[in-house]
Amino acid sequence: MELVRLATIARHFVAARRRWVSLRGDALTRYQDERAHKIVAYAAAHAPFYAAHWASHDLTEWRTLPVVDKRLMMEHFDTFNTAGLTRDEAMAAAIAAEHSHDFRPTVHGLTVGLSSGTSGHRGLFVATGGETAGWAGVMLARALHSWQGRLRVAFFLRANSNLYESIGGSLIQFRYFDLMLPLDEAVARLNLFLPDVIVGPPSLLGMLARERRVGHLRARPRRLISVAEVLEPQDRLSITEAFDAPVHEIYQCTE
């Protein structure tokens, strides 16, 4: 099974690198359109929620389909997912993992985890083993797109997951940091790990920037990635100046 997982990671890694090199302009638009059509067709055929939600819409015009936010997804979780999971069993497993900090168990062979919940609306995600391996391959390709040598990544989350741990390996050393850690403890651990990349909400990155300015944080990441919350322009500038490193943003609307 491990060989299969590694092969899947490698396949997605190579494919992602090729796409970023070869797909530009109209070719990229065609690729996105083809993938969107396949995703819509699969969701309509396998998820009762989408079959009903899109019943009066033309599925070939996927850009005009009604959007789904986290609140609606959680309200209809039982018919939203295509794996037959109920919201209660998925939530129970995710909360148990968060409390125990043991993220290895799965539910019916599926990785289940909690979203960051920074909007006040806690959500769930579900992924198969193949999906987690594919995600790991794409993340590796994205992180190593212009990187030479080994890479140490510090990822601040409110809950860890098999999905996130799957990107650890010989090329990337991945370290999970609980968002609930006291700041001084987080700083001490970062000083030992000395990450090349720090990923976390901008509120957390702002606190680390202040620790960097007063000399408590010795880690000097070459890249910072803001997630889960909106990165305001003044915060981006403050964080960039404190670390003398670029701040990228991956923002997902959770309302």
Side-chain angles (χ1 to χ4, degrees):
M1 290 299 294
E2 184 63 17
L3 289 177
V4 171
R5 190 180 78 88
L6 291 175
T8 303
I9 291 174
R11 177 165 54 84
H12 282 271
F13 174 83
V14 172
R17 290 292 292 268
R18 286 175 177 170
R19 284 197 298 272
W20 284 320
V21 170
S22 63
L23 293 180
R24 296 288 188 276
D26 292 341
L28 176 60
T29 300
R30 286 194 298 271
Y31 172 80
Q32 292 171 331
D33 193 61
E34 290 171 2
R35 295 299 300 169
H37 278 296
K38 290 181 180 179
I39 292 170
V40 166
Y42 184 90
H46 295 85
F49 166 79
Y50 278 113
H53 194 57
W54 293 339
S56 60
H57 295 270
D58 182 356
L59 300 187
T60 63
E61 298 293 332
W62 61 269
R63 289 182 176 84
T64 67
L65 294 174
V67 298
V68 176
D69 59 17
K70 183 188 291 186
R71 191 190 302 273
L72 189 60
M73 181 271 286
M74 290 299 295
E75 182 180 345
H76 298 276
F77 183 87
D78 292 8
T79 57
F80 180 91
N81 77 88
T82 61
L85 290 180
T86 67
R87 172 176 170 169
D88 289 345
E89 66 179 335
M91 183 65 77
I95 291 176
E98 183 176 345
H99 288 168
S100 67
H101 284 221
D102 181 2
F103 303 99
R104 292 169 297 176
T106 59
V107 182
H108 306 312
L110 301 167
T111 287
V112 178
L114 293 171
S115 69
S116 62
T118 52
S119 69
H121 306 301
R122 186 162 53 181
L124 288 163
F125 67 80
V126 180
T128 67
E131 288 167 342
T132 59
W135 185 89
V138 172
M139 287 296 292
L140 278 169
R142 185 69 182 95
L144 298 175
H145 182 60
S146 59
W147 205 281
Q148 300 295 322
R150 290 174 58 85
L151 183 67
R152 295 185 299 275
V153 180
F155 207 146
F156 282 84
L157 303 163
R158 76 180 298 273
N160 197 13
S161 162
N162 295 326
L163 177 61
Y164 306 124
E165 291 288 4
S166 64
I167 68 173
S170 58
L171 291 177
I172 289 185
Q173 187 178 357
F174 178 86
R175 186 70 53 83
Y176 158 64
F177 289 76
D178 194 325
L179 274 175
M180 297 298 103
L181 274 177
L183 184 59
D184 58 348
E185 186 174 346
V187 168
R189 293 189 184 187
L190 287 172
N191 285 338
L192 290 175
F193 185 48
L194 297 177
D196 301 297
V197 178
I198 297 179
V199 183
S203 54
L204 181 280
L205 297 180
M207 289 189 287
L208 295 179
R210 289 192 290 273
E211 293 297 300
R212 175 72 188 164
R213 288 192 190 91
V214 298
H216 296 161
L217 179 61
R218 297 190 301 277
R220 299 191 64 179
R222 289 180 280 167
R223 182 181 302 173
L224 299 109
I225 301 176
S226 170
V227 297
E229 303 166 356
V230 176
L231 177 62
E232 300 293 345
Q234 66 273 16
D235 294 329
R236 181 193 296 272
L237 178 61
S238 175
I239 296 167
T240 299
E241 290 178 344
F243 287 100
D244 191 24
V247 182
H248 305 278
E249 182 179 18
I250 301 176
Y251 175 64
Q252 295 177 304
C253 181
T254 54
E255 294 300 332

